[in-house]
Amino acid sequence: MAAARHRAQGSCAATLQTLKRGNYGQSEAWKASEPDAFQITITVSADLYQELQDYAALYRQTYGESETVAELIPFMLAGFLEGDRAFAKARKEGLPGPGASEKSRRQSESGSG
């Protein structure tokens, strides 16, 4: 997702540079500093899987450091969410509670109850 977003912006190199800043690319250090980290499992299409493998290979070629796709994805997702202005605005304004349905969210947005 993040790679596609950055590719649409014409900036694969910028994505790689973003991953390289700070502790990016040092996932073991990140995991150690995140005591509340969660592990999730996702299913992706064969095409997306190959793109992620290609991305990891480009990262390795660019920085000379081998990181697995699983190690890169948290940083890719973080970059994607940080760059999503609509999401940032919604969070600032207060997102609906975890149990809110789509219908109740639409009603609260339109002002009807």
Side-chain angles (χ1 to χ4, degrees), residues 69-109:
V69 168
E71 292 169 328
L72 292 173
I73 285 176
F75 302 105
M76 295 167 74
L77 288 174
F80 174 81
L81 292 175
E82 288 170 10
D84 188 323
R85 292 182 184 153
F87 180 65
K89 181 181 177 189
R91 288 190 81 189
K92 185 176 181 179
E93 293 172 355
L95 295 172
S101 69
E102 182 63 29
K103 182 179 177 181
S104 66
R105 279 182 259 186
R106 278 189 249 131
Q107 287 175 342
S108 66
E109 289 172 359

Side-chain angles (χ1 to χ4, degrees), residues 46-77:
D47 289 342
L48 180 55
Y49 177 80
Q50 187 56 55
E51 287 181 18
L52 291 168
Q53 294 298 323
D54 294 346
Y55 194 92
L58 180 59
Y59 183 93
R60 184 172 39 258
Q61 179 183 4
T62 302
Y63 297 107
E65 297 176 16
S66 182
E67 301 290 343
T68 67
V69 168
E71 292 169 328
L72 292 173
I73 285 176
F75 302 105
M76 295 167 74
L77 288 174

